[in-house]
Amino acid sequence: VQTCALPISLATTTQGLQTWVAEHPRDAQAWQLLSSAYAAQGRTLSSIRAQAEISVAQLNYSAALSRFKTAQEWARKEGARTDHHEASIVDTRARQVESLLREQALER
């Protein structure tokens, strides 16, 4: 019986995807892969944030804001167990997307 060992670890893959989306924030597919990688690592808050970023990349700001709010609620519920750095990013991105939604509404 032959086994197939993957030469790249999940952590290495996640790091590579993080670098990629930092340089290519509109790559929805990369955000999807990153969301799955975070979920596999048990990083729920990061996974939800990546899901929100998928919607941002697709210019669906209302869906993105909904996911960011879900992430904020999850972080509040988790309390001390929350990754506070990630929670701060979620809060900042939620405010940015709210601003984009207001701008969109003014253009209509």
Side-chain angles (χ1 to χ4, degrees), residues 17-79:
L17 285 167
Q18 288 170 330
T19 300
W20 179 264
V21 297
E23 296 171 4
H24 305 91
R26 293 190 181 262
D27 187 340
Q29 187 174 8
W31 280 112
Q32 180 61 56
L33 292 170
L34 187 55
S35 175
S36 296
Y38 284 146
Q41 293 172 326
R43 296 176 59 188
T44 304
L45 181 59
S46 297
S47 178
I48 298 169
R49 175 187 163 226
Q51 291 168 13
E53 298 291 358
I54 294 165
S55 295
V56 172
Q58 296 169 337
L59 306 179
N60 185 345
Y61 300 131
S62 60
L65 184 58
S66 176
R67 294 308 296 158
F68 281 126
K69 288 189 179 291
T70 297
Q72 288 173 321
E73 291 171 21
W74 188 90
R76 275 192 291 277
K77 186 178 82 172
E78 289 298 305

Side-chain angles (χ1 to χ4, degrees), residues 8-23:
I8 300 174
S9 72
L10 183 56
T12 301
T13 300
T14 302
Q15 288 175 341
L17 285 167
Q18 288 170 330
T19 300
W20 179 264
V21 297
E23 296 171 4

